Amino acid sequence: MESHLLAEASASTTRGLTITLFLIFVAITLGITIWASRQTKTATDFYAGGRQFSGFQNGMAISGDYMSAASFLGIAGLIALYGYDGFLYSIGFLVAWLVALLLVAEFLRNSGRYTMADVLAFRMRQRPVRSAASISTIVVSIFYLIAQMVGAGALVSLLLGIKPGTTFLGMDADTAKVATIILVGALMIVYVTVGGMKGTTYVQIVKAFMLMIGALVMTVLVLAHYKFNLSTLLGDAAAQSGKGSAFLEPGLRYGVEKATATETFYSKMDLVSLGIALVLGTAGLPHILTRFYTVPNSKTARKSVVWAIGIIGVFYLFTLALGFGAAALVGGKAITAQDKAGNTAAPQLAQALGIKYFGGDTGGAILLAIIAAVAFATILAVVAGLTLASSSSVAHDFYANVIKRGTASERDEVRVARISALVIGAVAIFLSILAQKQNVAFLVALAFAVAASGNLPAILYSLFWRRFNTAGALWAIYGGLISAVVLVFFSPVVSGSATAMFPDSDWHWFPLNNPGIISIPLGFLCGWIGTVLSKEDDSAKYAELEVRSLTGYGAH
């Protein structure tokens, strides 16, 4: 009886601390957003933060955009549950930055103004290309938003101590998750509509700093527990995972030997598909691409990517300690009991470390509350960046250049961006409620596949292929985008499996979870076919774009 009362008191302390810290963070970030709104006077301020950020500031903001719920919650969870196979996400996300640095960052900054479509529209017919780019940006952003909000829902259930069979304020676990997703969606809409890019960027910088400190502290505590002996940590993780030595070898999640040769082949192809999507996806993500416009010139864009690679690289090393530490100190059973997809492994590890180092349940509650507030900060900042990227594309590409044909005033453009942020936020909230059973790192990999299928072929062809034309751009974007979305819709992610969005239905015929291995080559192929079939050819415009992308001459 006494232990039960102590547990209830501990849960109450955790809830109080968590809610307090969360409210403090929201108050600080809303303060930043309101301050930024007073500095936001023009469309350049709203879309690109006035192009005033330094390489280090923008590198921190890019890191903040990239170190999302997928990185902190999802990857730690996958490593904790699948060991070696979960680590593949860390490698894929990091290597992807080299593609972005070498092929996209500098050229994009030199060639555009606010959005990805500026580069495509420079040498092609404006209206059809901007329409296609706007649709692609919205679809990729919504896929990515779903992942963040699912992470938020899982996190809140842990923080408020809600497990299956328990309630909080009359809400069961499922209702509390839905309420959280709606709350996060509402906050992100406020950040974007009020603060624009300047407010969102400063929120990202604050959040990246907090996340790095939080991950560093937890990593040091895990390693200190094992006297900085990695072999002991890995051995303990394998023992506590329930999987034994297989935990430290490939094949627990991907490339699994199945009952038939066909199923084994599909499992291995899923691994290849995931790898391709992770490595190529970053260079096509709209909310990352818009970051290159917030700096004054291409040299600063390059510097910001180098800073981002350094910060993100160190962070992904931390995820190894967090994932294996969670497996060793929390255990696979306790993680899946709280969240079957493993999304709460890192916060559960924080709680275990707090109990060990800072004195009983109260210490655990305090460290859990701090790390949870950091995770919330992560989610809020990333969803704000995503919503801004997609609403900017709707306003700048579709409204100003397609509907108004370049005659819209800056005030009208910004107003439309704010309205579209509201609509996109509402759609993302609805879809997130359906996808609650999925791991967030896995959901982000789907967003990467969609981005690499539609956006990347169009961007690379536009920058580096003289013959590329409007028809090629449309074929590349729509071909890649539609194939990726259709394959996801008919995959086990949406129906036909226990963790699907619609687990009680089954219309899947595509055997892989990630469509990248089919849809990405198809996007490039469609771009080539569309270009070759069209007679349109404007070599002079390409020559001008080439000079601008390489030198920065004439860049805004």
Side-chain angles (χ1 to χ4, degrees), residues 330-454:
V330 180
K333 280 187 180 175
I335 292 168
T336 50
Q338 178 63 47
D339 186 273
K340 286 182 181 175
N343 293 323
T344 56
Q348 283 176 279
L349 173 63
Q351 190 171 23
L353 290 169
I355 290 169
K356 174 176 171 51
Y357 284 100
F358 306 114
D361 290 340
T362 306
I366 291 170
L367 192 56
L368 170 61
I370 292 169
I371 295 303
V374 170
F376 263 127
T378 296
I379 291 164
L380 284 173
V382 172
V383 294
L386 284 160
T387 311
L388 181 65
S390 46
S391 61
S392 296
S393 185
V394 171
H396 180 64
D397 296 326
F398 191 70
Y399 174 74
N401 286 289
V402 176
I403 296 175
K404 290 291 187 178
R405 298 175 184 253
T407 62
S409 68
E410 286 197 343
R411 176 177 283 184
D412 280 348
E413 212 174 307
V414 172
R415 179 176 54 80
V416 170
R418 287 173 169 152
I419 293 168
S420 55
L422 192 65
V423 175
I424 290 161
V427 172
I429 288 167
F430 171 72
L431 292 174
S432 303
I433 291 167
L434 295 176
Q436 289 180 62
K437 292 181 182 177
Q438 301 284 358
N439 179 280
V440 289
F442 167 73
L443 287 170
V444 163
L446 292 183
F448 272 55
V450 176
S453 304

Side-chain angles (χ1 to χ4, degrees), residues 168-413:
F168 174 70
L169 296 179
M171 294 185 290
D172 61 19
D174 291 337
T175 311
K177 283 184 180 181
V178 171
T180 308
I181 287 168
I182 294 168
L183 172 68
V184 170
L187 277 170
M188 97 186 158
I189 292 165
V190 171
Y191 287 145
V192 174
T193 54
V194 175
M197 178 59 92
K198 192 168 282 189
T200 302
T201 300
Y202 279 119
V203 169
Q204 292 287 20
I205 292 168
V206 170
K207 162 252 160 146
F209 177 76
M210 287 171 60
L211 186 58
M212 287 299 286
I213 296 297
L216 173 64
V217 168
M218 286 174 67
T219 299
V220 170
L221 293 177
V222 167
L223 294 176
H225 176 72
Y226 288 98
K227 299 183 172 62
F228 293 88
N229 187 326
L230 291 176
S231 179
T232 311
L233 166 61
L234 294 176
D236 214 6
Q240 295 300 320
S241 69
K243 312 272 176 36
S245 60
F247 186 72
L248 303 177
E249 298 167 3
L252 267 186
R253 183 178 171 94
Y254 297 105
V256 183
E257 294 293 331
K258 297 285 184 87
T260 68
T262 306
E263 288 178 334
T264 301
F265 173 76
Y266 287 149
S267 181
K268 291 181 177 177
M269 283 302 99
D270 220 0
L271 172 60
V272 176
S273 191
L274 171 70
I276 294 170
L278 292 180
V279 170
L280 297 179
T282 299
L285 290 175
H287 69 298
I288 299 293
L289 297 178
T290 55
R291 284 256 156 249
F292 301 137
Y293 297 129
T294 64
V295 292
N297 52 53
S298 62
K299 184 180 178 184
T300 315
R302 266 200 320 275
K303 274 186 183 171
S304 61
V305 177
V306 172
W307 272 111
I309 288 173
I311 295 165
I312 292 164
V314 171
F315 177 77
Y316 283 139
L317 287 175
F318 291 162
T319 62
L320 282 174
L322 300 182
F324 286 115
L329 297 174
V330 180
K333 280 187 180 175
I335 292 168
T336 50
Q338 178 63 47
D339 186 273
K340 286 182 181 175
N343 293 323
T344 56
Q348 283 176 279
L349 173 63
Q351 190 171 23
L353 290 169
I355 290 169
K356 174 176 171 51
Y357 284 100
F358 306 114
D361 290 340
T362 306
I366 291 170
L367 192 56
L368 170 61
I370 292 169
I371 295 303
V374 170
F376 263 127
T378 296
I379 291 164
L380 284 173
V382 172
V383 294
L386 284 160
T387 311
L388 181 65
S390 46
S391 61
S392 296
S393 185
V394 171
H396 180 64
D397 296 326
F398 191 70
Y399 174 74
N401 286 289
V402 176
I403 296 175
K404 290 291 187 178
R405 298 175 184 253
T407 62
S409 68
E410 286 197 343
R411 176 177 283 184
D412 280 348
E413 212 174 307

